[in-house]
Amino acid sequence: MAKLFIPGPIDVSKETFAAMSRPMIGHRGSEFEALYASTQPVLQELGGTTRPFFLSTSSAWGIMEASLKNLCAKKVLTLCCGAFSDKWFSVAKSMGLAADKIQVEWGEAISPEAVRAKLEEGGFDLVTLIHNETSTGVMNDVAGIAKVVKSFPGVLFVVDAVSSFSAVPIAMDELGIDVLLAGVQKALALPPGLTVFACSQDALERAEGMPNRGYYFDFIEFAKNAAQNNTPSTPAISLIFGLQHILGVIAAEGVKNRYARHAANNAMIHEWGKRRGFKNFAPEGRQSVSLTCFHTPAGFNQSAFIKTLNSKHGFAINGGYGKIKGLTFRISNMGNETPATMQELIDAMDDVLG
Ligand SMILES: *Cc1c(COP(=O)(O)O)cnc(C)c1O
């Protein structure tokens, strides 16, 4: 089995798997409550918030969809710049919601001024943004966009930080983000199946007035249970053991050191690309620090490169996502990777390229 340098799921450490194989506990009791509570301080530090984090047994899409269901009373504006953000718009439509979008070319970032112009048209009460568009390697200007959204009273702001959470600082409270969500199989380096998210007081107030919220993804149920360090339904307890472990690892490293390590790992891949003549798909200044998306040069046999890297060296990178499959390739530097492990990948890629 290849070691994963794809942008999620990523490589999971032996220590994390060991933590996940602890004996099972019941979820209605003090042992689970202590486990739940233990996850809060580091999650809150990573998210820049004093709000409680909720633990949803679902992939990120569960909470991306739930954000629409819990918070869109009038009309949602989705900011579309790649596969995941474009899909958020089609999910809103499929739910029968009033939805509009700003669509930029894949590989471009969302401009805060375009958001202002669109919101000035009126009628919106929700905006969705993907902070780090994993399909294109673009990291959006979340602070700039938050500032614009916050200047429109009554408009809530949902941010998907799936592939940026724990790789770069995110200031939920300072920016006025109303829902911050992250699936754990990306930068947190856990197996898939769990999403962590936090809601502002405004978000919970909006949710309270929304009809037909159902049960499994009801933000009010999450809030009520979180007040008791618990979840509405039986959670993926093994994954929460894994989460507790990785958050301990992050605390021991120090979040600032973790951010610096991601930046250093990412810079190594950028350097490699430059040396090898691969061009970044994302524009200068808006490039992700958790993964890199390169153009496939004309005449370059990308699929042979990826196959040989896997068969000869046991490293998996990704050959592009959605409509830019084949036209781009992506390398993740998320999670537990170090300059030494990134160098192993770089040496292997150089060996394959010759
Ligand atoms: C991977 C990813 C998702 C989707 O996550 P699932 O776990 O498949 O639901 C959503 N947003 C971003 C930015 C992602 O990278």
Side-chain angles (χ1 to χ4, degrees), residues 7-9 58-62 64 84-85 88 130-135 160-164 181 183-186 192-195 291 321 330 334:
S58 66
S59 83
W61 272 112
M64 292 164 77
F84 294 104
S85 46
W88 220 341
I130 302 233
H131 180 208
N132 193 62
E133 182 40 92
T134 317
S135 63
D160 163 329
V162 172
S163 60
S164 55
L181 70 102
V184 300
Q185 81 276 23
K186 304 276 168 85
L194 191 71
T195 294
L291 71 117
Y321 192 94
R330 301 179 301 162
M334 299 176 211

Side-chain angles (χ1 to χ4, degrees), residues 190-263:
L190 292 170
L194 191 71
T195 294
V196 300
F197 71 109
C199 294
S200 70
Q201 191 57 40
D202 287 350
L204 293 180
E205 279 166 19
R206 171 80 58 82
E208 202 135 36
M210 290 289 289
N212 308 321
R213 297 191 307 273
Y215 170 68
Y216 192 75
F217 287 123
D218 177 6
F219 287 180
I220 303 304
E221 284 290 339
F222 275 102
K224 270 197 279 189
N225 281 278
Q228 317 295 326
N229 287 309
N230 222 309
T231 53
S233 57
T234 315
I237 295 171
S238 302
L239 273 166
I240 301 174
F241 281 136
L243 178 66
Q244 178 186 52
H245 168 78
I246 202 74
L247 294 173
V249 169
I250 292 171
E253 180 180 18
V255 296
K256 288 210 175 79
N257 294 333
R258 182 179 179 84
Y259 300 144
R261 177 167 57 76
H262 278 75

Side-chain angles (χ1 to χ4, degrees), residues 93-114:
K93 289 303 239 186
S94 78
M95 294 166 75
L97 297 175
D100 201 349
K101 62 176 171 175
I102 292 175
Q103 179 76 61
V104 300
E105 291 294 327
W106 286 25
E108 289 175 11
I110 302 290
S111 131
E113 280 322 302

Side-chain angles (χ1 to χ4, degrees), residues 276 305 308 312-313 345-354:
R276 284 289 175 175
F305 171 58
T308 308
K312 187 169 177 198
H313 295 279
L345 173 66
I346 286 169
D347 291 345
M349 292 193 297
D350 279 337
D351 176 61
V352 174
L353 291 175

